[in-house]
Amino acid sequence: MPRLLLALLLLTSAAVAQHDAAPPLPDSVPKDAELYEIRMMGNLAGHVAAWRQPDGTLRTFYEYNDRGRGPLSDTVITLDRSGYPTRIDSTGHDYLKGKVEEHFYIANGVAHWKNKAEDGSQPLTGPAFYSDMYGTPYQFGLMVKALLASPTKSIAILPQGEAKIAKLSDKTVTSAGQSQTVSLYAVTGLDIAPAYVWLDRKNDLFANGSAWWIMVRKGWSAVTPELVQAQTDAEAARARTLAHKLAHKPKGVVVFQDATVFDAPNATFIPHQDVVVSGNRIVSVGPTGKAPKGAQVIDARGKTLLPGLWDMHAHVSDNDGLLNLQAGVTTVRDLANDTEQLLARKQRIESGEELGTRIVMAGFLDGPGPFQGPTKVLVSTPEEARKEIQNYKRLGFVQIKVYSSIKPELVPVIAEEAHKLGMRVSGHIPAGMIASQAVAQGFDEIQHVNFLALNFMPDVKETRNPGRFLEPGKRAADIDVNGPEVKQFIALLQQHGTTLDPTLATFEGMYNDVAGQLPERWQPVADRLPVQWKRGFLTGGLPLAEGVTPQRYRDSYANMMRLVKAMYDAGIPIEAGTDDTPGFALHRELELEVKAGIPPAAALRIATYGAARIMKMDDQLGAIAPGKLADLALVEGDPAADIRNIRHTRLTMKDGVLYDPAEIDGALGIKPEKQ
């Protein structure tokens, strides 16, 4: 951990309740199997096992529990002498408990693969390693071993692509009196960023993951903080290089000339305007004319200049800043993260050592139990809750996010303490409550549209597990959005000044995606993205509940959108938050708001001035006006005529610094947008 954060670490929670909720290993796993633990934010969540069967095949088992979700895979692998799979057979379920099977085999020089998203084949011209979709993390270790055995340290990947590997560092770790040296490697070509992996001296898998989720060899979990910090240092070095390359600080005045300016407070567009920026402030806004002598002039004819966009529901991690800046997003609100990791990242961004947005921080609270969220901050008494809220306040957090395992009786305690300290309160609706009860007891805001729907299903008591998705999928279509119950709920929200963070884009994927089909939200950009990333879009959405059809899910989602529109019409403040892929998902969130019936200009106001007002930062952000901070996004075309034009970001300015989205895309391996 960086030394500058040591003082902050002294303030972090000492009340980390440990509650291991890992499912047990099945009896089929032999005692001499190679074992790994999966830990989520330090808590044991699951296992990976690998062993040789009598016929020489490799068998692996993988399962973990994440708040009632989590995958299971039982996989048998046949390897050739070079360590490449010639056959893979996996059965189990995916993260959302949908049944999966995946099969891969090579016959007569042709590779064949089939899973619920794909059914393909390809003649082989040389060695190639199949990248599975539903196998186990152990298989990534096999790929890494094949990479290291390659003379070029690169191998072909099936269905498409090429992976490369580079060694970064060695580290000696000690646990329970035993020491060994492990090595950190970076694998590129699978995603927009390197995948980090730790190997032992035999090049066997030792660990891989992050602070949020990590798989580590059994008996060595005590060293995970050291491993995570080494990875953080490696990623920070990469981020530093990119920051110095991609951030363009003007030497003098900048003029956006002849732009159509979005007047966010009034949700109107003013054509033929010049916006002058000096340092990190907007100096003037007025009719286009002659630029000041020596100014850097940006030709904005035919383009719309927006205040920097806000994503009000983020969980910031590596590369999120890059993806957001290339999309015109300059501020995010982080609604749950590792405290130390988030503070360190915020510090790097503010010092110019990493590219990223402004970050508004919300502290995360949950209660201990089998469905607890992946957090170190777990509280079960009023005293613990008050202590943690006070700690978050000292660290600069402005909001508290409550999660599903919080005891309902703690909600008014949390709200009282947070409000006393000037902090907002929001979150999931704790199990055993409905949204109207949470609002009455102090919630300022509700996350996720499914919790709005669940307000009208008070018989659904257990919402800590996937039931909070399945029940709205089954029943939300029956909600009468114009009926008395909804009107009564809206009146309560009006009375309390409650805001809503529906994250429509996230739930569109859950309820509308079909396995094997490219979702509508990804169609505009999928061909620009790395192949292995694009494959993930084909996996489909929420598994069907018993007796439920795909059309029922679609109907329920459509009615959830009507519910959001009814609340917008009643004057309830709506937020643009994603809880999804940075940048791209915010564009989709705005498209969905418009699809729900919110006018494009109003949707843009929601994602700019509206967000800044809610977070009480509208004196500095959210509008293009003299004296405001210079956070701007220049987009091609007119998003008022077609909100999809929001995707065509040509330039982003954050705090007076310019970023070229095309340059950022190139650094991430994203193909340039056709203009």
Side-chain angles (χ1 to χ4, degrees), residues 3 29 72 116 118 144 263 426 458 514 527 548 574 598 623:
R3 285 189 294 273
V29 176
L72 180 151
K116 70 174 183 177
E118 302 169 317
V144 170
D263 176 2
S426 72
V514 177
D527 288 341
V548 176
I574 306 298
I598 297 174

Side-chain angles (χ1 to χ4, degrees), residues 145-229:
K145 203 160 188 175
L147 275 164
L148 289 172
S150 165
T152 62
K153 299 297 182 283
S154 64
I155 58 175
I157 298 296
L158 292 171
Q160 190 178 344
E162 180 184 39
K164 298 181 180 180
I165 194 167
K167 185 176 179 179
L168 299 183
S169 62
D170 293 323
K171 188 172 187 62
T172 300
V173 293
T174 301
S175 179
Q178 294 185 337
S179 296
Q180 67 172 305
T181 299
V182 293
S183 300
L184 176 63
Y185 289 86
V187 178
T188 55
L190 301 178
D191 206 334
I192 61 170
Y196 297 107
V197 61
W198 292 91
L199 305 180
D200 65 16
R201 282 305 188 199
K202 296 180 181 179
N203 289 337
D204 289 329
L205 181 64
F206 182 78
N208 80 297
S210 65
W212 189 268
W213 181 105
I214 192 164
M215 163 189 172
V216 63
R217 188 171 292 168
K218 187 174 176 62
W220 292 88
S221 61
V223 307
T224 54
E226 300 175 59
L227 305 182
V228 169
Q229 185 56 53

Side-chain angles (χ1 to χ4, degrees), residues 28-108:
S28 58
V29 176
K31 293 182 179 180
D32 60 349
E34 188 177 358
L35 298 178
Y36 297 82
E37 293 179 347
I38 294 172
R39 292 191 171 268
M40 298 188 70
M41 294 299 291
N43 294 333
L44 182 65
H47 307 274
V48 177
W51 66 98
R52 290 283 179 179
Q53 299 193 116
D55 62 0
T57 57
L58 177 66
R59 187 170 176 182
T60 64
F61 179 84
Y62 166 50
E63 184 180 19
Y64 72 87
N65 172 39
D66 177 17
R67 298 158 287 175
R69 292 167 277 177
L72 180 151
S73 178
D74 193 341
T75 303
V76 178
I77 307 168
T78 302
L79 300 171
D80 66 15
R81 292 182 178 180
S82 298
Y84 286 73
T86 58
R87 185 175 188 92
I88 301 174
D89 296 288
S90 295
T91 58
H93 58 70
D94 61 20
Y95 178 77
L96 291 173
K97 304 296 186 182
K99 183 179 179 181
V100 293
E101 284 192 37
E102 183 167 23
H103 302 285
F104 165 81
Y105 67 95
I106 297 174
N108 300 318

Side-chain angles (χ1 to χ4, degrees), residues 305-456:
L305 191 65
L306 307 167
L309 300 172
W310 286 57
D311 184 342
M312 290 284 272
H313 195 132
H315 302 283
V316 182
S317 61
D318 296 338
N319 305 293
D320 287 14
L322 294 165
L323 288 169
N324 276 317
L325 289 172
Q326 66 88 25
V329 179
T330 58
T331 305
V332 302
R333 184 180 59 180
D334 189 291
L335 282 175
N337 217 312
D338 177 86
T339 301
E340 294 82 12
Q341 294 278 329
L342 182 62
L343 288 168
R345 188 181 305 281
K346 191 170 186 288
Q347 185 182 70
R348 291 196 300 271
I349 292 170
E350 292 173 354
S351 67
E353 296 298 291
E354 178 174 328
L355 293 191
T357 63
R358 301 177 189 276
I359 300 175
V360 179
M361 300 186 297
F364 186 55
L365 292 181
D366 202 10
F371 300 105
Q372 68 189 38
T375 177
K376 299 173 185 175
V377 187
L378 302 170
V379 299
S380 56
T381 68
E383 293 74 22
E384 290 174 348
R386 292 190 185 99
K387 178 184 175 183
E388 297 302 343
I389 294 167
Q390 293 165 9
N391 181 56
Y392 277 129
K393 178 67 175 180
R394 285 194 298 269
L395 293 173
F397 289 69
V398 300
Q399 183 164 332
I400 295 298
K401 180 184 177 183
V402 172
Y403 209 62
S404 302
S405 291
I406 285 284
K407 295 177 182 177
E409 60 265 29
L410 288 182
V411 170
V413 175
I414 291 168
E416 180 185 27
E417 186 66 26
H419 291 158
K420 183 174 72 175
L421 296 173
M423 305 173 79
R424 290 175 60 78
V425 177
S426 72
H428 290 201
I429 307 304
M433 301 181 75
I434 57 175
S436 58
Q437 293 170 330
V439 169
Q441 293 186 22
F443 266 44
D444 301 298
E445 172 186 336
I446 299 168
Q447 262 78 55
H448 304 305
V449 70
N450 64 316
F451 285 111
L452 301 180
L454 283 164
N455 187 70
F456 308 103

